[in-house]
């Protein structure tokens, strides 16, 4: 380059300098490169990139999150609209029709007006249909939770007296879609103030129970239901069924007295029943007898007998409600025969209202019980259908669904949701494929709430009580589970009896607690009563439990023992005791003569899944004790957890560890060698 030639001082001068030649298309590429050279990423660019990478989810992440937290989205992604939609619609309509009589009946059982049971048949179902992982259960009202709620209401009703604010009846409006808050008092002639107190207790317990379930879901505590064994759940539900029967007898007979809530509900209520039985209303007794007979006959001899032929079960409960309402209205049963009726049923949805946050500490204990029991009942029903249809439920997501459902519903005058086995069976039997059936049932209940509720005002309460008693037939028959438990596990049968008796005599919540504590206590008893199996050898060289097989034979001068439980401080003493009894040392009481002298002891530890220091010390003590008596000891099939405790604690540091075996068979192969050498060896396998 000549000195007279000027060099472009900037990129822009190079671009504008015609003397600089570019190949075709090279100028455009150079311009992009020059722009990138001039503009470096700013702090804002780095911040935006960092924030997007960490906090802005991708489309795939959003889809995965929706599928995980709103299971209905995942179900519908594999949904056959042409094949499955008609089944879900039919199932939803059938279950929705069932919701109406059961919601009213269980509403009365909770000592609240029927409208609140109908609210519980709508709002929680709407939430669970979106968030629940079970495709077949029908949530809403259930007898056990309504009974528990009734007792909790009786315990806390007057503590909420200072929070009551009742509107005048003139302000009620049944013409609007959203009715003003109203207090109806059809239950034993209670005043509006008393009903308002009960409602505040119910929605506050529901809110707190929902919050507890959300907290359990956040910490992935879906395994909490594992502490409620089948025996405990069976005892609680059966005892609660008899509580429910007791609570409905006064409506069946048409007698009036205030139910005695709290402890000893069952015996105290029956005392009152026999005291007032002479005041029974003949017309009410006849209505109850006819209703129970018709509902029972249709359910047993039509729905159950022809279940495979019928497209859906006959909605006998709803039919009974309609017929009874017409008969009551035409015959004027209330005026002529003093038959108690359901009373006013408002139309429209309730206005949102807040629970009593300042009184949450008063119901915390009851809310915890309600949250755990309702969750356990829901999951037990959900697992039943999941096992039948080969899909899995997520207990943590179920907790989330119940928690959100209860918290949301508590603002709309509803109470704790629970799955009902009877409705769930109908939903599954009528062809339900997904929780889309739940949304359809919500539509049916919504139509009733908006337009048809007031038509059922003449319905006798005895009809609803009869429907409840017939619906609990399965729960009464759980008593016969004792026969099976007697043959399978007598200790489990004892858990069932103790739980059932505690619920029946004391109350549902204390009975549940007693059942759980007693069941955990029996786990310790089982550990302390752990068995020690004496193994023998079959002709095919297979080792089996000696006392159960007559064809097995015990090896001469050799004892093979297997401790059939984890080994820890509670049963370490039993381990040593059983070993000494089943393999007596030479010269001890159990050893007679040289012919039966013990030369070899093999301890099979394959069943010891866990061992603490006390268990490891027990094994080490037996090894050293028998070696001191010139007996060769072999400890076989040790798991890594047991080996780790033995090695870290150096419990066998004084024992010869040169021979390590992997099984009992290899230990047996080594026995002749040990006998020839006369060495006392401890084999850890």
């Amino acid at each position: 380059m000549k000195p007279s030639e000027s060099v472009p001082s900037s990129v822009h001068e190079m671009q504008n300098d015609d003397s600089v030649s570019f190949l075709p298309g090279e100028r455009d590429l150079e311009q992009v490169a020059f722009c990138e050279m001039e503009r470096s990423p700013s702090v804002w660019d780095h911040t935006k990139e960092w924030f997007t990478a960490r906090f802005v989810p991708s489309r795939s992440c959003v889809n995965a999150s929706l599928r995980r937290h709103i299971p209905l989205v995942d179900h519908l992604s594999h949904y056959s609209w042409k094949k499955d939609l008609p089944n879900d619609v039919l199932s939803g309509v059938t279950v929705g029709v069932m919701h109406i009589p059961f919601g009213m009946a269980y509403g009365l059982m909770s000592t609240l007006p029927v409208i609140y049971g109908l609210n519980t048949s709508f709002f929680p179902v709407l939430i669970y249909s979106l968030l629940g992982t079970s495709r077949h259960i029908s949530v809403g009202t259930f007898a056990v939770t309504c009974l528990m709620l009734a007792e909790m209401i009786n315990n806390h009703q007057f503590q909420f007296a200072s929070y009551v604010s009742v509107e005048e009846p003139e302000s009620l409006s049944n013409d609007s879609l959203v009715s003003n808050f109203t207090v109806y008092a059809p239950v034993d002639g209670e005043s509006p103030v008393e009903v308002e107190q009960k409602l505040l207790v119910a929605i506050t317990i529901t809110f707190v129970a929902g919050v507890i379930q959300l907290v359990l879901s956040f910490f992935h505590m879906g395994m909490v239901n594992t502490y409620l064994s089948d025996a405990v759940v069976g005892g609680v539900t059966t005892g609660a069924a008899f509580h429910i029967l007791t609570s409905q007898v006064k409506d069946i007979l048409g007698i009036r007295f205030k139910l005695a809530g709290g402890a000893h509900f069952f015996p105290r209520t029956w005392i009152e029943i026999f005291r007032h039985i002479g005041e029974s209303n003949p017309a009410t007794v006849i209505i109850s007898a006819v209703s129970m007979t018709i509902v029972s006959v249709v359910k047993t001899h039509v729905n159950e007998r022809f279940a495979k032929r019928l497209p859906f079960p006959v909605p006998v409960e709803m039919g009974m409600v309609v017929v009874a309402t017409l008969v009551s209205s035409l015959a004027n049963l209330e005026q002529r025969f003093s038959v108690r009726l359901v009373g006013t049923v408002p139309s429209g949805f309730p206005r949102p209202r807040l629970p009593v946050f300042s009184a949450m500490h008063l119901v915390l204990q009851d809310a915890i019980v309600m949250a755990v029991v309702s969750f356990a009942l829901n999951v037990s029903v959900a697992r039943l259908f999941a096992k039948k249809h080969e899909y899995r439920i997520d207990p943590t997501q179920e907790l989330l669904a119940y928690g959100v459902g209860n918290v949301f519903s508590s603002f709309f005058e509803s109470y704790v949701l629970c799955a009902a086995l009877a409705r769930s069976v109908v939903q599954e039997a009528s062809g339900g494929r997904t929780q889309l059936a739940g949304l359809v049932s919500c539509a049916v209940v919504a139509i009733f709430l908006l337009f048809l509720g007031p038509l059922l005002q003449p319905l006798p309460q005895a009809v609803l009580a009869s429907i409840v008693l017939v619906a609990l037939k399965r729960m009464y028959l759980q008593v016969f589970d004792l026969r099976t438990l007697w043959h399978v596990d007598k200790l489990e049968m004892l858990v069932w009896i103790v739980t059932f008796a505690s619920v029946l005599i004391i109350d549902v919540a204390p009975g549940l607690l007693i059942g759980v504590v007693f069941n955990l206590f029996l786990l310790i008893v089982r550990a302390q009563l752990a068995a020690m199996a004496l193994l023998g050898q079959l002709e095919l060289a297979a080792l089996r439990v000696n006392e159960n097989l007559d064809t097995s034979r015990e090896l001469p001068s050799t004892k093979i023992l297997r401790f059939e439980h984890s080994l820890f401080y509670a049963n370490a003493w039993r381990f040593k005791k059983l070993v000494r009894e089943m393999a007596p040392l030479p010269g001890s009481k159990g050893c007679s003569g040289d012919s039966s002298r013990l030369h070899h002891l093999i301890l099979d530890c394959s069943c010891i899944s866990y061992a603490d220091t006390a268990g490891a010390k027990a094994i080490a003590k037996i090894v050293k004790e028998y070696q001191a008596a010139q007996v060769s000891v072999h400890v076989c099939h040790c798991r890594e957890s047991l080996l780790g405790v033995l090695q870290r604690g150096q419990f066998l540091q004084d024992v010869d560890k040169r021979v390590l075996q992997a099984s009992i068979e290899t230990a047996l192969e080594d026995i002749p060698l040990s006998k020839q050498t006369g060495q006392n060896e401890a084999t850890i396998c």
Side-chain angles (χ1 to χ4, degrees):
M1 180 180 298
K2 297 181 180 179
S4 60
E5 294 178 348
S6 62
V7 180
S9 59
S10 67
V11 173
H12 293 287
E13 291 181 8
M14 283 187 65
Q15 290 180 295
N16 297 327
D17 190 356
D18 295 332
S19 63
V20 180
S21 62
F22 292 89
L23 294 175
E26 187 178 1
R27 181 183 294 273
D28 296 334
L29 293 176
E30 290 293 334
Q31 288 178 350
V32 174
F34 294 151
C35 292
E36 292 180 352
M37 289 171 58
E38 287 185 328
R39 183 181 180 277
S40 60
S42 64
V43 175
W44 167 250
D45 293 331
H46 287 297
T47 303
K48 183 179 179 181
E49 181 181 356
W50 179 88
F51 183 84
T52 301
R54 287 163 177 78
F55 298 104
V56 178
S58 62
R59 178 176 298 179
S60 60
C61 181
V62 171
N63 291 336
S65 181
L66 284 175
R67 290 170 180 263
R68 184 171 66 254
H69 296 297
I70 307 180
L72 184 62
V73 174
D74 183 52
H75 297 164
L76 294 181
S77 64
H78 311 289
Y79 196 73
S80 175
W81 292 94
K82 184 177 180 180
K83 179 181 178 181
D84 295 337
L85 183 60
N87 291 320
D88 276 337
V89 171
L90 176 62
S91 176
V93 171
T94 305
V95 173
V97 170
M98 283 187 68
H99 266 300
I100 296 168
F102 281 105
M104 298 173 69
Y106 293 150
L108 283 180
M109 184 186 301
S110 63
T111 71
L112 290 168
V114 296
I115 184 60
Y116 304 120
L118 293 172
N119 291 342
T120 309
S121 300
F122 176 76
F123 292 102
V125 180
L126 187 64
I127 299 299
Y128 185 83
S129 298
L130 299 175
L131 303 181
T133 59
S134 175
R135 303 174 187 176
H136 297 94
I137 68 171
S138 173
V139 300
T141 55
F142 184 51
V144 174
T145 51
C146 288
L147 173 68
M148 294 174 61
L149 183 64
E151 297 177 357
M152 295 173 184
I153 287 173
N154 288 334
N155 294 335
H156 299 287
Q157 175 182 350
F158 298 106
Q159 294 176 333
F160 280 67
S162 60
Y163 304 102
V164 173
S165 175
V166 184
E167 294 184 9
E168 294 297 326
E170 289 77 13
S171 67
L172 305 180
S173 174
N174 291 332
D175 299 328
S176 59
L177 293 183
V178 181
S179 62
N180 293 320
F181 171 68
T182 177
V183 175
Y184 295 94
V187 185
D188 294 333
E190 293 174 326
S191 67
V193 173
E194 291 177 313
V195 178
E196 168 75 345
Q197 292 169 356
K198 290 184 175 184
L199 179 61
L200 290 179
V201 176
I203 63 176
T204 303
I205 289 176
T206 302
F207 176 81
V208 178
V211 171
I212 292 170
Q213 289 171 333
L214 288 176
V215 172
L216 293 176
S217 173
F218 179 79
F219 289 104
H220 295 271
M221 296 293 290
M223 42 71 64
V224 70
N225 70 302
T226 58
Y227 293 99
L228 299 178
S229 65
D230 291 342
V232 172
V233 173
V236 169
T237 53
T238 308
F242 283 94
H243 271 261
I244 294 165
L245 184 150
T246 302
S247 68
Q248 299 301 300
V249 169
K250 69 183 188 66
D251 292 328
I252 294 291
L253 300 178
I255 56 181
R256 294 174 181 265
F257 63 88
K258 191 171 181 62
L259 289 176
H264 312 296
F265 166 83
F266 185 81
R268 288 194 295 161
T269 303
W270 278 106
I271 292 173
E272 291 295 322
I273 290 172
F274 286 114
R275 184 178 297 170
H276 295 84
I277 197 167
E279 305 170 6
S280 300
N281 186 318
T284 302
V285 173
I286 293 173
I287 292 172
S288 302
V290 172
S291 300
M292 284 191 288
T293 301
I294 294 176
V295 173
S296 180
V297 167
V298 174
K299 288 175 70 69
T300 304
H301 297 285
V302 178
N303 289 347
E304 294 181 6
R305 186 175 181 180
F306 301 102
K308 296 182 179 179
R309 300 181 184 179
L310 294 173
F312 57 88
V314 176
V316 61
E317 294 89 358
M318 191 63 203
M320 195 70 235
V321 166
V322 173
V323 172
T325 301
L326 291 175
V327 172
S328 174
S329 178
L330 295 175
N332 197 12
L333 295 180
E334 183 180 27
Q335 298 296 328
R336 295 176 60 187
F337 302 102
S338 300
V339 174
R340 282 188 293 170
L341 306 181
V342 165
T344 306
V345 181
S347 62
F349 294 130
R351 291 186 182 278
R353 61 179 305 177
L354 297 177
V356 184
F357 297 116
S358 58
M360 290 192 297
H361 64 283
L362 299 175
V363 299
L364 179 60
Q365 181 178 353
D366 288 334
I368 292 174
V369 174
M370 183 67 81
V372 174
V373 172
S374 62
F375 171 65
L377 293 174
N378 290 336
V379 170
S380 63
V381 177
R383 283 178 172 168
L384 181 68
F385 291 99
K387 182 179 180 180
K388 180 178 179 180
H389 293 275
E390 298 181 349
Y391 64 88
R392 299 181 65 181
I393 64 168
D394 183 357
T396 300
Q397 178 64 26
E398 288 291 294
L399 273 174
L400 177 66
Y402 306 145
V404 174
N406 286 326
V407 170
F408 175 79
S409 303
S410 67
F411 296 105
F412 294 93
E413 299 175 4
S414 306
Y415 42 80
V416 177
L417 67 89
C418 190
L421 181 59
R423 287 197 310 270
S424 301
V425 169
V426 170
Q427 180 165 319
E428 185 254 355
S430 56
R433 298 288 191 270
T434 66
Q435 281 299 331
L436 196 62
L439 296 178
V440 176
S441 71
C442 285
V444 174
V445 176
I447 293 173
F448 181 85
L449 286 171
L450 293 174
F451 308 110
L452 304 178
L455 299 178
L456 296 184
Q457 180 177 348
L459 175 65
Q461 292 186 16
V463 174
L464 297 179
S466 302
I467 291 173
V468 169
L469 295 187
V470 175
L472 297 178
K473 174 185 174 182
R474 294 174 182 267
M475 295 175 67
Y476 302 138
L477 295 179
Q478 288 181 145
V479 173
F480 295 102
D481 291 346
L482 290 175
R483 183 170 51 190
T484 303
L485 293 175
W486 171 263
H487 296 291
V488 175
D489 190 340
K490 292 179 175 59
L491 285 180
E492 192 171 5
M493 182 193 72
L494 185 60
V495 172
W496 196 101
I497 293 174
V498 169
T499 306
F500 172 76
S502 301
V503 170
L504 203 63
I505 297 173
I506 306 175
D507 203 357
V508 177
L512 172 65
L513 181 61
I514 291 173
V516 172
V517 172
F518 185 73
N519 196 26
L520 295 177
F521 170 74
L522 284 187
L523 291 179
I524 301 175
V525 173
R526 289 177 189 273
Q528 292 182 328
L529 299 179
M532 180 77 78
L534 176 62
L535 304 184
Q537 190 172 29
L538 299 177
E539 295 179 357
L540 298 177
L543 295 169
R544 294 294 185 269
V545 180
N546 189 50
E547 60 265 29
N548 292 338
L549 293 175
D550 296 333
T551 57
S552 62
R553 61 183 178 84
E554 188 176 347
L555 299 177
S557 303
T558 302
K559 294 286 186 180
I560 306 175
L561 305 179
R562 182 177 66 205
F563 191 66
E564 300 186 331
H565 204 280
S566 297
L567 186 57
F568 58 105
Y569 69 94
N571 59 11
W573 63 273
R574 182 170 177 81
F575 170 80
K576 293 182 289 186
K577 177 177 178 290
L578 291 176
V579 171
R580 290 164 183 159
E581 289 179 354
M582 301 179 70
L585 287 167
S588 62
K589 289 184 178 180
C591 186
S592 59
D594 293 337
S595 59
S596 61
R597 187 182 188 279
L598 180 65
H599 292 288
H600 309 285
L601 173 63
I602 299 177
L603 299 177
D604 179 6
C605 299
S606 58
C607 294
I608 302 178
S609 59
Y610 165 75
D612 62 1
T613 54
K617 287 179 180 178
I619 294 176
K621 185 173 180 60
I622 289 295
V623 170
K624 295 174 183 178
E625 184 177 313
Y626 276 74
Q627 281 190 327
Q630 303 299 313
V631 176
S632 176
V633 183
H634 302 261
V635 184
C636 302
H637 289 298
C638 287
R639 301 191 182 187
E640 291 186 3
S641 58
L642 176 57
L643 278 177
V645 175
L646 291 172
Q647 293 172 354
R648 289 191 298 270
Q650 299 181 349
F651 295 111
L652 297 179
Q653 59 180 349
D654 299 331
V655 178
D656 191 353
K657 303 181 182 64
R658 290 175 301 173
V659 180
L660 300 176
Q661 304 293 338
S663 64
I664 298 176
E665 288 79 3
T666 54
L668 288 173
E669 293 174 0
D670 188 62
I671 283 179
L673 178 60
S674 300
K675 187 174 180 181
Q676 291 174 6
T677 58
Q679 296 177 351
N680 298 323
E681 299 173 349
T683 304
I684 304 175
C685 312

